[in-house]
Amino acid sequence: MTEPRHRRPATPEEAKALGHPLRLRIMRLCLVEELTNKQLADRLDRDPGTVLHHVRQLVAAGLLEPAPVRTGSSGALEKPYKSNGETWWLDGPLSEADAQTRFAPIEIFQEEIRAAGPESVAVHEKFLLHLSPDEIEELDRRILAVLDEYVASDHERRDRPAVGGIFVLHHLKPGG
């Protein structure tokens, strides 16, 4: 497998760009395939002008980039965008954000999985552990190390179906 890169702190521009749920959805869609602004607007059921505003913020932050211009089905030239995968290598880009912004990736994941349907779930693991803060840090480090290896070599598996996932640890509400 390819040697994984190391994480780095997000720049203020990157953190700001990732601080909006619609931009997170745009990033996720453009990670799977190259999409034009119109295609993004259609898939997100949003106004193309609104989507373009968010696309431009992601491009300015260096998280989204123009893909090669192509000819569309009607013969017109299309200008698609693609994710460069940089967000994976950012260390806690939303850690300083407000609670609603930090929760956005979980909400977006729920939307994605509902849209894909229950048959899309390949594996599901639900667990409860009793861990100290140091043990949480160690578990996170070990899981990220495995995921880093797969992310770093994902370009070698582009011929296979795309799968998504999320790893979340949360503290249980006392008495809940």
Side-chain angles (χ1 to χ4, degrees), residues 22-23 25-27 29-30 33-56 58 64 70 78-81:
L22 184 57
R23 289 193 288 270
R25 292 182 69 199
I26 290 168
M27 291 293 305
L29 288 170
C30 289
E33 63 183 306
E34 297 173 356
L35 296 168
T36 66
N37 189 67
K38 181 180 179 341
Q39 289 170 320
L40 286 165
D42 289 346
R43 290 189 188 189
L44 296 167
D45 195 28
R46 298 292 176 102
D47 175 73
T50 299
V51 172
L52 184 58
H53 166 76
H54 291 289
V55 164
R56 287 180 174 159
L58 290 164
L64 202 62
R70 63 187 184 210
E78 296 180 336
K79 298 177 182 178
Y81 296 92

Side-chain angles (χ1 to χ4, degrees), residues 17-167:
L18 293 171
H20 192 282
L22 184 57
R23 289 193 288 270
L24 292 174
R25 292 182 69 199
I26 290 168
M27 291 293 305
R28 183 70 159 196
L29 288 170
C30 289
L31 189 60
V32 175
E33 63 183 306
E34 297 173 356
L35 296 168
T36 66
N37 189 67
K38 181 180 179 341
Q39 289 170 320
L40 286 165
D42 289 346
R43 290 189 188 189
L44 296 167
D45 195 28
R46 298 292 176 102
D47 175 73
T50 299
V51 172
L52 184 58
H53 166 76
H54 291 289
V55 164
R56 287 180 174 159
Q57 287 189 310
L58 290 164
V59 169
L63 301 173
L64 202 62
E65 54 194 42
V69 175
R70 63 187 184 210
T71 303
S73 58
S74 66
L77 292 181
E78 296 180 336
K79 298 177 182 178
Y81 296 92
K82 64 180 178 178
S83 171
N84 57 21
E86 284 299 305
T87 56
W88 179 259
W89 303 106
L90 300 178
D91 188 21
L94 300 179
S95 60
E96 301 298 319
D98 61 81
Q100 182 177 349
T101 302
R102 287 193 321 267
F103 201 68
I106 296 167
E107 291 175 347
I108 291 164
F109 180 75
Q110 290 174 323
E111 290 174 17
E112 288 174 357
I113 204 162
R114 280 190 193 100
E119 66 281 354
S120 70
V121 177
V123 294
H124 173 270
E125 309 300 340
K126 177 82 170 115
F127 55 90
L128 183 132
L129 301 171
H130 295 85
L131 301 172
S132 70
D134 288 342
E135 290 166 328
I136 290 172
E137 189 176 311
E138 173 66 8
L139 178 61
D140 184 47
R141 185 194 62 73
R142 291 172 64 184
I143 288 172
L144 280 176
V146 171
L147 291 173
D148 285 350
E149 289 180 33
Y150 279 91
V151 169
S153 63
D154 193 58
H155 64 280
E156 299 168 5
R157 294 182 302 279
R158 292 286 177 166
D159 60 327
R160 299 173 193 155
V163 297
I166 190 169
F167 174 71

